[in-house]
Amino acid sequence: MVGNKSFITPPRILAAGFALIIAVGTFLLALPAASQSGQRISLMDALFTAVSATCVTGLVVMDTGRTFSLFGEIVILVMIQLGGIGFMTTATWIALALRRRISLRDRLVLKESLNQDSVEGIVRLIIKVFIYAFTVEAGASLVFAAQWAEEVPWKQALYYGVFHAVSLFNNAGFEIIGGFVPYVHDVGINFVSMFLIVAGGLGFIVMSDLVDYPRTRRLSLHSKVVLSVSGLLTLTSAVIFLVFEFANERTLGPMALEDKLLVSVFHAISLRSGGINTVDIAGLHAATQFMMVIMMFIGAAPGSTGGGLKITTFALLVGAVRAVLTGKEDVVLFRYRMPKRLIQKAVTLALIAVGVIVSATMILLTLQDRDFMTVLFEATSAFGTVGLSMGLTPELTPAGQGVIILLMFVGRVGLVTLAFALQSRPPKELYRYPEGRIIIG
């Protein structure tokens, strides 16, 4: 009995929960009722779509709006919501609504899913998450609906509004309107989309701090790091995008200056894990595409709807480099000394993430007859659960789809969570080896 309890750990429950949602979603999407034609789509295509929706990525092997029926789109929407907010978060909210008791094991799984250090205040955070998510999605749905009501009947406009508000808030990148390229000059659509991506990508912990700020007048160290680094990365991305693409006739070249600025900021924010674009990604210069690969690899904040290495991990790595170069022993962020175990964890995550991307890219290069940048871009987009594409995904072989599916799953569940879910309990060390020295640099 003890062995069974030790086997059912929070990381394993979390990974199994995502796998269960994917399995159910695959079954439903493979039904004839899920497609507009009334014909079953292939099981592999259904699986790929289910993984992309549950892992809030947005890479698609077929056009969502043209392929799936209303039933299929609703299945995708539910998977996006469950995958973004988290199935345990949803289950907890339902339990609270039914006045059920939240067990210690449930709290531990919630702690794991939201990347918290302790279970203290975890239920209060869940309540805030739901109120915040519902308010943001409902408000954005109405704004979107008002925009699209000028083009389609109001019922369809409202449905479009709900679908895209949920998709963008959860950083999923799914759309059913044939793409956002026609709205490249639409300030309203652009600003609402950017707000939703930021609101979901900063993480629920940060948003909870921001909501409470008028009362508390303070932000946690985590929130300060996420907000400052996110702002710096977004600004850097926007400037690089604008400079590199300013005269590109396939992207920003023909636009007025104000539109160039709007597009640059939009794509800088979308790189945080949004996954929608208003210009052709394949038409960008190679330098811009490579910048996007780097930003997608860094990803969003912990406890958010986005994936990637995570902003705080990147901040710790930069802090560690700065400490070494300045001859300081401690890594300091906002006048706080970072524990060495966090630095070790950040380095470990970075090395594993690089290894995953390199391995997946090499495998895809052998499976797909495409150039290096296209394959690297697609692999990084899947790992970062971003969803931006240079057009490779619809052309993937079944084996190539399998590689992208694994990348999306790893990117959403998280490297540490997946590692803990797969490993057995390590044996207790009875001794330590003597310290040794090697020459580096």
Side-chain angles (χ1 to χ4, degrees), residues 68-385:
F68 294 100
S69 64
L70 178 62
F71 169 74
E73 291 174 358
I74 291 174
V75 170
I76 290 172
L77 196 64
V78 171
M79 286 190 290
I80 289 172
Q81 190 74 81
L82 290 176
I85 292 182
F87 72 97
M88 274 304 300
T89 306
T90 307
T92 302
W93 185 83
I94 294 173
L96 290 172
L98 297 175
R99 299 182 183 276
R100 300 278 181 86
R101 179 177 172 273
I102 309 300
S103 67
L104 177 60
R105 174 169 288 177
D106 292 337
R107 293 171 190 264
L108 290 171
V109 178
L110 286 168
K111 178 179 80 71
E112 185 74 28
S113 66
L114 293 174
N115 287 318
Q116 293 289 283
D117 291 327
S118 69
V119 296
E120 183 181 356
I122 196 72
V123 176
R124 288 196 300 274
L125 180 60
I126 294 301
I127 295 173
K128 285 183 180 179
V129 166
F130 259 85
I131 294 174
Y132 168 70
F134 177 78
T135 302
V136 171
E137 290 177 352
S141 297
L142 294 176
V143 176
F144 270 148
Q147 295 276 335
W148 278 312
E150 300 175 1
E151 304 175 23
V152 296
W154 70 268
K155 287 185 178 180
Q156 188 176 2
L158 183 60
Y159 172 64
Y160 281 174
V162 171
F163 188 98
H164 293 94
V166 172
S167 177
L168 292 177
F169 175 76
N170 289 285
N171 284 200
F174 274 84
E175 51 80 20
I176 54 175
I177 55 174
F180 279 76
V181 174
Y183 300 97
V184 63
H185 304 297
D186 193 311
V187 176
I189 295 290
N190 276 259
F191 271 93
V192 176
S193 300
M194 287 189 286
F195 169 75
L196 286 168
I197 294 169
V198 170
L202 287 178
F204 301 120
I205 305 159
V206 177
M207 296 313 301
S208 175
D209 274 0
L210 290 176
V211 170
D212 292 340
Y213 184 77
R215 177 175 55 85
T216 62
R217 292 295 174 182
R218 62 181 297 274
L219 293 174
S220 66
L221 174 62
H222 172 83
S223 295
K224 290 178 181 178
V225 172
V226 169
L227 289 171
S228 59
V229 178
S230 293
L232 182 60
L233 290 174
T234 301
L235 178 62
T236 303
S237 304
V239 171
I240 293 175
F241 193 100
L242 178 64
V243 171
F244 287 175
E245 297 300 317
F246 195 88
N248 187 349
E249 290 300 318
R250 297 180 64 185
T251 55
L252 301 186
M255 299 182 188
L257 180 60
E258 59 270 20
D259 288 330
K260 291 180 179 181
L261 292 171
L262 177 64
V263 172
S264 299
V265 173
F266 182 89
H267 286 83
I269 289 175
S270 187
L271 285 173
R272 298 267 58 81
S273 201
I276 57 173
N277 55 285
T278 55
V279 295
D280 181 18
I281 300 298
L284 299 170
H285 288 309
T288 309
Q289 294 168 348
F290 189 62
M291 177 275 292
M292 297 175 80
V293 167
I294 296 171
M295 294 300 171
M296 291 191 296
F297 177 76
I298 295 172
S304 72
T305 57
L309 182 66
K310 297 297 172 22
I311 288 171
T312 46
T313 305
F314 174 73
L316 285 172
L317 292 173
V318 173
V321 171
R322 181 168 175 256
V324 171
L325 294 179
T326 55
K328 295 180 180 178
E329 184 177 347
D330 297 323
V331 176
V332 178
L333 298 178
F334 288 95
R335 298 183 179 179
Y336 282 92
R337 175 171 51 86
M338 297 294 102
K340 282 185 169 51
R341 61 178 179 82
L342 275 183
I343 307 302
Q344 292 172 343
K345 184 177 179 181
V347 172
T348 302
L349 282 173
L351 288 175
I352 294 175
V354 169
V356 168
I357 293 295
V358 169
S359 301
T361 301
M362 291 175 67
I363 294 171
L364 285 171
L365 282 169
T366 63
L367 297 173
Q368 308 293 149
D369 185 21
R370 294 295 294 269
D371 62 282
F372 173 75
M373 181 57 74
T374 299
V375 173
L376 176 64
F377 192 99
E378 219 80 2
T380 310
S381 180
F383 174 76
T385 68

